[in-house]
Amino acid sequence: MCRGISILRNRIRQELFEEYELARLVHRRSEATEEELWFDFADRTKTVLLPIIHDGQLLIREWGNRGGQGKLPKTGWCKQESLVAGKWRWLSPEPVEIPANFGLEKGIWFQVTEGMFTCSRRRLRTTTR
Amino acid sequence: MIGHVDADCFYVSAERVRHPHLRAMAMGVLGNHGACIIAKSYEMKAAGVTTGMPIWEARPICPNGVYLKRDFEWYEILSRKMLGIVQSLSPRVEFYSIDEFFFTAELSDAKQVQQALVEGVGVPVSVGIAPTKTLAKLISDTVKPLGCGVIANEDDRQRLLRGKPVTEITGIARRSGERLAKHGITTCDQFANADRAFIRWLLTKRGEDLWWELNGTPVQPIMQTRPEHKFVSRGGSIGAASADPARVAAFVARNSERLVEALNHYRIVCDSVTLSLLFTNLPERAARVSMLGSTADYESVSQAALWLLPRVWQPPTSPVHYMHVIAGGLRPCGHRQLSLFDQQSSRSIKLAEMKRKINQAVGRFAIQTALTLPLRDVHRDPANDYDICDVYGKTCF
């Protein structure tokens, strides 16, 4: 599982950056490092977003269902076994790629080199594999 | 003169070659179990993180640090590229360790070698040039990072040694340092100025060699090929300490498999096998068994190691956290002593050959003994497929 992800600022198009007001997510680990956008599911201040690549296009979508609205469970993840078992079939899940440079779990930032996630076609909300 | 190239925080620099966005970041490279930091960037070091520190201790000290797992296969690719560049610049080169090389040099070579490596590989290195290997290594360590140092005369040598802790000399570890300290020798200049016969008495010939080297007389040659092994060993940490007999036996089988692979690589056979276990709550225990004839056959080596296991693992409730399977009495394949009693069956020879061919074609550990089945977690992580000892040809670790 991954509590948050980070993507290099220069990987996000300016239009997306402005449309979703991503400036609040900009972080720099030190003055000498590149700017990153930190998407943290535990961030209670705003709606949690997530960058995804769907049909080859980089998009920004809401991450999971932290607010608990609708029929989705109040979470940002699901188990891979439950996906394989077809328990999410009613949402027509589709694979998307999350273009993360780093992942965050238990307070540890780790390098991400590859990853595939799934999201719902209906709501394009994400669940990790 | 002798040159010494030493890559600056090599594992970190190697990761930055393929992931340039990691540059200037505080980052740590984790060992195969993902718990301890085996290498760190200068930025992480500045925050107070030390090598060997567990990740949960490093996190509060350096909360924005980034961690990744070691990848010795990638580090070897860069290491051999560096070796090739040094070999193109010097007629005699020693592949000392994965990130260090000795070479015959002129005084003016330091910058040229450094520039060629930085431009050719992208890894920052420090270079030292001195009359001996020990002095060259000492000066390259002193000028890190991205420095060049030259010991051109007596003044340079004395300036380098003055006040420097004696334990910074490669070959003077903690125990030798304590012995020397009892006699008031704590710095390199004190060591170099001590009586040579006294140093030999205290630290044997190895200590005397260092004394000569530190005084500018070369006694350690550049070794272009690795000296013959006295022992070959495979093992290390088994991750979380375990008292589970199946898991510990699985590690013995896996390490036997890796050991046999190394023996085959070096084309040597062994006359004895030693199993050494380290426990969390008891002192280390080890035992050795002689083989029935010289062998590098997996069945024989693993059977010997597994036969030793209950004898070494006493009491069997003690959690094991380190182990080594060690082959001794080594000799070239062609000089093997055949057993009078136990001949390897042609079936097992064919099986071993088939396994070797498949692993060569499909990938290392594609086929392995079923005894290692309890190690699914180890098999799942590709970082475990390649270790530092799998980088062959180095003269040191």
Side-chain angles (χ1 to χ4, degrees):
Chain A
M1 215 165 72
C2 198
R3 193 192 91 179
I5 65 115
S6 165
I7 180 171
L8 296 178
R9 159 75 179 87
N10 60 19
R11 292 178 70 181
I12 303 277
R13 281 180 290 117
Q14 187 60 28
E15 305 88 80
L16 277 181
F17 190 80
E18 286 166 9
E19 183 184 345
Y20 290 94
E21 298 173 357
L22 299 180
R24 64 193 166 90
L25 303 180
V26 172
H27 287 82
R28 221 186 246 279
R29 288 173 201 270
S30 75
E31 282 182 11
T33 57
E34 293 182 49
E35 279 186 344
E36 301 167 40
L37 297 179
W38 289 5
F39 298 89
D40 186 351
F41 191 75
D43 181 357
R44 297 277 162 196
T45 55
K46 293 263 171 113
T47 307
V48 190
L49 302 174
L50 196 63
I52 61 166
I53 297 176
H54 185 246
D55 285 341
Q57 198 183 357
L58 203 152
L59 308 167
I60 302 288
R61 289 292 178 262
E62 192 179 336
W63 180 350
N65 186 32
R66 209 178 56 190
Q69 301 99 341
K71 291 180 181 175
L72 276 172
K74 195 177 173 180
T75 182
W77 307 272
C78 76
K79 287 187 176 173
Q80 186 180 357
E81 300 82 54
S82 69
L83 264 177
V84 174
K87 291 182 181 172
W88 300 83
R89 203 176 295 141
W90 61 281
L91 281 169
S92 309
E94 283 186 22
V96 299
E97 191 178 334
I98 296 184
N101 290 95
F102 304 108
L104 175 69
E105 182 55 26
K106 294 180 183 165
I108 304 283
W109 283 104
F110 56 92
Q111 163 94 349
V112 175
T113 48
E114 58 187 62
M116 187 66 85
F117 296 73
T118 60
C119 80
S120 146
R121 179 182 278 173
R122 264 185 235 174
R123 303 187 61 173
L124 278 176
R125 281 190 171 147
T126 53
T127 51
T128 62
R129 193 170 85 168
Chain B
M1 299 293 272
I2 292 175
H4 178 248
V5 169
D6 193 351
D8 300 332
C9 44
F10 178 59
Y11 300 163
V12 167
S13 303
E15 293 296 346
R16 285 173 173 170
V17 168
R18 59 178 173 180
H19 304 299
H21 62 269
L22 294 173
R23 280 185 194 143
M25 263 182 204
M27 59 173 285
V29 178
L30 303 173
N32 56 340
H33 302 292
C36 289
I37 293 156
I38 59 167
K40 68 219 175 283
S41 66
Y42 287 107
E43 295 82 4
M44 189 166 267
K45 186 180 179 180
V49 176
T50 55
T51 301
M53 187 180 268
I55 195 167
W56 54 88
E57 284 179 22
R59 186 176 66 93
I61 300 173
C62 188
N64 281 344
V66 169
Y67 299 89
L68 41 90
K69 259 199 159 173
R70 64 182 203 170
D71 180 355
F72 284 119
E73 217 165 350
W74 170 244
Y75 306 155
E76 182 181 7
I77 289 170
L78 293 190
S79 177
R80 299 221 178 263
K81 206 171 167 187
M82 290 167 73
L83 177 63
I85 289 175
V86 181
Q87 281 171 333
S88 72
L89 297 169
S90 172
R92 286 177 66 83
V93 179
E94 176 176 337
F95 185 18
Y96 182 69
S97 74
I98 194 165
D99 64 340
E100 289 178 82
F101 313 94
F102 287 104
F103 60 101
T104 50
E106 302 293 328
L107 280 177
S108 57
D109 285 350
K111 274 278 172 206
Q112 187 198 355
V113 170
Q114 185 185 56
Q115 204 171 338
L117 288 168
V118 172
E119 284 172 10
V121 188
V123 170
V125 299
S126 296
V127 181
I129 292 182
T132 71
K133 281 171 86 171
T134 305
L135 286 171
K137 187 161 164 52
L138 207 54
I139 184 80
S140 68
D141 283 345
T142 308
V143 296
K144 274 175 169 294
L146 205 61
C148 290
V150 174
I151 303 292
N153 52 47
E154 183 57 17
D155 284 349
D156 292 342
R157 188 185 71 86
Q158 289 195 1
R159 204 174 307 121
L160 172 70
L161 301 186
R162 200 173 300 136
K164 194 179 284 297
V166 73
T167 46
E168 288 196 15
I169 303 168
T170 304
I172 306 280
R174 185 178 54 84
R175 213 176 294 174
S176 298
E178 285 168 1
R179 269 193 208 167
L180 288 164
K182 279 182 192 164
H183 297 275
I185 300 172
T186 56
T187 62
C188 292
D189 50 325
Q190 288 170 343
F191 183 86
N193 293 328
D195 180 61
R196 179 181 58 82
F198 170 74
I199 295 292
R200 184 179 177 114
W201 170 78
L202 196 66
L203 301 180
T204 71
K205 183 181 175 298
R206 199 171 156 72
E208 186 192 358
D209 284 354
L210 292 174
W211 183 91
W212 282 114
E213 288 258 320
L214 225 53
N215 280 297
T217 305
V219 292
Q220 296 177 347
I222 289 177
M223 291 183 286
Q224 288 178 281
T225 52
R226 200 197 184 290
E228 282 182 11
H229 290 86
K230 289 179 181 158
F231 299 96
V232 176
S233 163
R234 287 295 181 268
S237 165
I238 68 165
S242 175
D244 173 7
R247 188 166 173 86
V248 174
F251 268 110
V252 172
R254 179 179 166 88
N255 288 324
S256 301
E257 222 163 29
R258 295 174 64 217
L259 179 62
V260 166
E261 190 189 51
L263 294 174
N264 288 331
H265 174 87
Y266 292 122
R267 296 179 187 281
I268 50 179
V269 288
C270 66
D271 285 348
S272 69
V273 168
T274 302
L275 177 69
S276 149
L277 298 181
L278 274 80
F279 307 98
T280 50
N281 56 350
L282 289 171
E284 178 182 1
R285 281 174 59 91
R288 190 180 65 183
V289 63
S290 294
M291 309 300 286
L292 282 169
S294 310
T295 182
D297 161 46
Y298 169 70
E299 287 298 324
S300 312
V301 170
S302 64
Q303 274 175 26
L306 288 166
W307 182 83
L308 287 169
L309 181 60
R311 287 154 179 86
V312 179
W313 195 0
Q314 290 296 336
T317 48
S318 301
V320 176
H321 71 134
Y322 263 82
M323 76 164 64
H324 283 98
V325 183
I326 305 158
L330 304 176
R331 57 180 85 205
C333 276
H335 299 162
R336 71 164 62 193
Q337 173 68 49
L338 296 176
S339 167
L340 291 171
F341 308 103
D342 192 24
Q343 298 297 331
Q344 200 184 352
S345 71
S346 63
R347 185 170 174 270
S348 73
I349 293 172
K350 279 182 190 166
L351 268 174
E353 183 57 17
M354 182 65 74
K355 179 179 163 189
R356 193 186 62 76
K357 278 183 179 167
I358 291 174
N359 284 345
Q360 216 166 28
V362 179
R364 200 166 175 229
F365 298 126
I367 289 192
Q368 51 194 302
T369 171
L371 265 173
T372 65
L373 276 174
L375 305 180
R376 283 195 190 89
D377 53 325
V378 177
H379 296 154
R380 256 200 306 268
D381 186 349
N384 292 317
D385 285 353
Y386 214 76
D387 220 320
I388 183 76
C389 51
D390 296 320
V391 181
Y392 290 113
K394 310 185 299 315
T395 57
C396 183
F397 178 66

